[in-house]
Structures are given as structure tokens and as C-alpha cells.
Amino acid sequence: LFHRQPEVSEGDIVRLRQEGGTLFASAWYGQGLTAVDTTGAIIHWRLPKDLNDRQQSAQIGDALPLPDGNVLVASLAGLLHLDTRTGAYHHIPFDDASDTHQDPRMISLCDAGDGTIWVGGYGPWLHRYDPRNGHWTHYGTSSGIGPQVNALVRDGHGTLWIGDKHGLSGYDETTGRIERVGPIQVNGATTTLP
């Protein structure tokens, strides 16, 4: 599971993130997560065999380093916690009261700045996860989010920018509104959402 090796992940690198001088590379197709630190040391954490055996589950979409040195990992198997000392991945239970997302496929992460984590994925999925108590808050299409949240970033003003299959939206925490930026294409027609 845990390897120090001179090469980075083979396969399709889908996301790069730099935190505290360490570069993290997330890879599809079961290759795991690679980190390159400021000294040039390369550490690679392979996904466990049970995830690699499931078709497409082993795909990592994003990685978010935590203050304790461990890493949250968005994958098609759901949200995982990587213990960087042991190389062990632990599945984080997905709380969905509606029971509509029994197999959460997650591909993007963003620190919310208040101890919670924004998590994006397939479906019309945007979630907020609180690691302190394990609570999830879910946002769906009625919130104005398109399907497949591919990218999340929080700017210096506190706006969460959401890149989804239909374009770009901004979530303003002070108003609680999600607004689409510019026109989008839906079923061949151009529409501007409020």
C-alpha cells in the first residue's frame, strides 16, 4: 500500500494540488495518490486491493491535505481518509437521509475555511462534510447546481466557485444563493439561470 519510489503515478493524472510546499497528484485507474515534497522526495500511496478490484471505484478525483498531515481523498468509491503514516485508506460513511445517493461518486474537494469540506461529484452533487461530527449537508439541482461537479475553489472573498458539467456557478455564503455565471447549454438551448 505504501511505497517510496522514484516515479510518480502511472496513468491518468486528473488533479494537481499544492499545499504547504507539497504537490499532490491524483490519478484514475487505481494508481493512487502521489506526493512530492519540497526536498524532492516522492511518496506514493496505492489504493487497497478491494477498491482496485471494483471497476472504476479506484479512481481518485482529488486530494485535500488536512492539518494533522493526513489527506481526504475524493474517489468514485466515495470519500476516503488516508493515514499518511501507515498508507491505510478508511472509507468515510456517506450520510444521505434521502437514500438517493447510495453509491456516492466524488471527484472534487475544497476547504470551506470553517472546519468543513466542500465535496463535489456525479449526479447533481454538491455536499458539505463536517469531519468533526460526520454530518453531511446536501445541495441538489433545486439549488441551481448542474450535474457532475468537477471542480471547487473558494476565493478570498468567501465565494465558493463550482465548475460543473454545464458551466460555472458561485455560492455566496452570506446570502445562501447559488448563481450561474453566464449562459449555459442544456439540451441544445442556451439558458441563463438567475
Side-chain angles (χ1 to χ4, degrees), residues 132-146:
R132 298 166 293 204
N133 60 19
H135 178 75
W136 291 84
T137 303
H138 310 285
Y139 303 82
T141 53
S142 63
S143 303
I145 300 167

Side-chain angles (χ1 to χ4, degrees), residues 32 47 73 77 79 100 105 121 123 126 138 156 161 169 172 176 181:
L47 286 166
V73 176
L79 189 61
T100 58
R105 296 177 296 159
L126 176 65
H138 310 285
W161 293 99
S169 297
D172 182 344
V181 176

Side-chain angles (χ1 to χ4, degrees), residues 117-133:
I117 308 295
W118 288 104
V119 182
Y122 290 102
W125 288 10
L126 176 65
H127 313 283
R128 197 169 194 166
Y129 172 66
D130 189 336
R132 298 166 293 204
N133 60 19

Side-chain angles (χ1 to χ4, degrees), residues 71-192:
V71 180
L72 280 182
V73 176
S75 77
L76 293 190
L79 189 61
L80 307 173
H81 179 271
L82 169 64
D83 182 325
T84 56
R85 290 172 301 285
T86 66
Y89 286 88
H90 304 282
H91 190 266
I92 295 174
F94 183 66
D95 161 30
D96 185 3
S98 69
D99 204 27
T100 58
H101 300 114
Q102 294 180 11
D103 182 23
R105 296 177 296 159
M106 300 173 180
I107 54 177
S108 54
L109 298 170
C110 181
D111 185 339
D114 63 357
T116 63
I117 308 295
W118 288 104
V119 182
Y122 290 102
W125 288 10
L126 176 65
H127 313 283
R128 197 169 194 166
Y129 172 66
D130 189 336
R132 298 166 293 204
N133 60 19
H135 178 75
W136 291 84
T137 303
H138 310 285
Y139 303 82
T141 53
S142 63
S143 303
I145 300 167
Q148 192 173 322
V149 175
N150 296 314
L152 298 166
V153 67
R154 191 170 163 264
D155 69 18
H157 303 288
T159 299
L160 175 69
W161 293 99
I162 305 160
D164 64 39
K165 191 172 182 173
H166 294 302
L168 182 65
S169 297
Y171 173 67
D172 182 344
E173 288 200 64
T174 58
T175 65
R177 291 179 45 116
I178 296 174
E179 294 189 31
R180 178 71 59 191
V181 176
I184 60 170
Q185 290 284 334
V186 179
N187 297 327
T190 300
T191 309
T192 301

